[in-house]
Structures are given as C-alpha cells and as structure tokens.
Amino acid sequence: MSKLGVLISGRGSNLQAIAAAFPGEVALVLSNREQAPGLAWAAEQGIATCALPSAGREREAYDRDVVERLRAADVELVCLAGYMRLLSRVMLDAFPNLILNIHPSLLPAFPGLDATQQAIAYGVKFSGCTVHYVDQTLDGGPIIAQAVVPVIAGDTAETLAARILVEEHKLYPQAIRQALLRG
Ligand code: GRF
C-alpha cells in the first residue's frame, strides 16, 4: 500500500479530497503553519500530523527537518496541496520525481500567486488546474494532468477559483494514481 505525505499551509480541501479518494494511506500531513485548518481536520481523522513552523527558518535547514519527518513516516510520494513554500534542493534530491503539486491554472499560463486573478485580468475564456511534478522552477515541472473549466462572463477571481476547485478535487487523486503507476 502506497504511503503519501501531504504538505499544506492552509485550508486543506485538496488534502480531504486525496484522503477520500486515494486507495493508499496518507501517512503524514505536515504544515509549515501551525494554525492551518487542514492540520486540525487531519488530526480529527486520526491521520498523523506535524506542525513545523517555517517562519524565520533558513530554507535548506527547514527542508532537512521536513525530509526527516517524511522519512520517519515511510512516505513514498509527497503531495503539495496549498503548500506555500518553494522547495530547496534538499527536498528535491530526497524525493526525486516523487513530489507533486496542484496549481489553479492551465500551466504554463499564470504560474505563481493569484493565478485565478491573473486569468481574469488577462481575459482568458478557459482556465483550469494542473498537477505537475515539482522541480526548482516556480510551478514549472513536467505536467501530469490538467482539467479545463470555462471562464463565465461576470466571473471574479473567487467564482473562478471555486469552479476550478471542484475539478482540483477530482484531478489530484487521479494524477497521484498515474504518478504511482509510472513509478
Ligand atoms: C488550491 O487552489 C491549489 O490549487 C493551490 O492552493 C489551493 C489550496 O487549497 N495550490 P486547499 O488548501 O487544498 O483547500
């Protein structure tokens, strides 16, 4: 049975979707923010959790601690789900091609923060979400899967994000299965 580690910084709705749909085990949920609602949710479910505050920490030293926690939980694949930190070489080398991320746009369009606001401002007619492997670029690693949603007249960043989120929750578990099959 595959063991996943899920890294979050906030709400954790993708974490919930993964936990519900993934046949393997979520072996650890780690958050760099102690107050992340997703961390409390995971603890309520009886999933192992770890709050590891990142504020003021040097990036590589912090990532060494994260790797140690993931290894202790015997994690095979790492899923970033609203994890608001760039990864250092320490993480990337520890889990080569074994770290996934979900982003609320059709990459390579609109990487970085406020992707749905960027999509609205540009005036695209379709957007969506992307699950990709993580490398040292910002939202730039090889794409595993995408889902498309229309942008509807009158959409705001929030209404578009909500439409995309519905697809994220279906896409992420599916992309995890694909990544595990590829080994
Ligand atoms: C999602 O929109 C995801 O695409 C982005 O951050 C958000 C996380 O939401 N990377 P949640 O914490 O999974 O609810």
Side-chain angles (χ1 to χ4, degrees):
M1 192 160 86
S2 302
K3 291 191 174 188
L4 295 187
V6 184
L7 307 191
I8 64 168
S9 297
R11 181 175 59 180
S13 71
N14 277 287
L15 160 68
Q16 293 192 28
I18 292 167
F22 181 66
E25 182 194 347
V26 178
L28 181 67
V29 175
L30 183 147
S31 175
N32 67 315
R33 295 190 186 142
E34 276 174 292
Q35 302 309 321
L39 207 54
W41 177 85
E44 277 164 25
Q45 308 302 305
I47 300 172
T49 59
C50 173
L52 194 60
S54 57
R57 299 274 322 266
E58 190 268 326
R59 196 175 296 283
E60 297 207 340
Y62 180 79
D63 279 359
R64 266 191 289 280
D65 286 352
V66 174
V67 168
E68 193 181 300
R69 301 301 201 289
L70 292 168
R71 290 235 189 279
D74 213 13
V75 161
E76 291 160 51
L77 191 75
V78 179
C79 299
L80 310 186
Y83 184 62
M84 303 301 284
R85 279 181 72 77
L86 278 176
L87 303 188
S88 71
R89 276 259 62 103
V90 171
M91 270 287 285
L92 297 170
D93 291 347
F95 293 95
N97 292 319
L98 291 170
I99 307 177
L100 274 51
N101 181 43
I102 189 156
H103 183 76
S105 77
L106 294 175
L107 291 170
F110 314 128
L113 290 176
D114 302 323
T116 51
Q117 181 53 49
Q118 292 184 56
I120 295 287
Y122 200 93
V124 292
K125 301 301 178 198
F126 292 90
S127 189
C129 49
T130 304
V131 177
H132 63 94
Y133 289 105
V134 176
D135 62 16
Q136 258 185 326
T137 62
L138 178 64
D139 300 323
I143 290 171
I144 300 169
Q146 292 185 308
V148 178
V149 308
V151 180
I152 295 169
D155 261 345
T156 62
E158 290 70 32
T159 58
L160 177 58
R163 192 173 309 119
I164 292 172
L165 195 65
V166 173
E167 298 306 318
E168 291 187 35
H169 295 163
K170 295 184 240 168
L171 190 71
Y172 212 166
Q174 193 183 308
I176 292 168
R177 269 183 233 116
Q178 266 176 257
L180 285 168
L181 282 176
R182 278 184 212 173

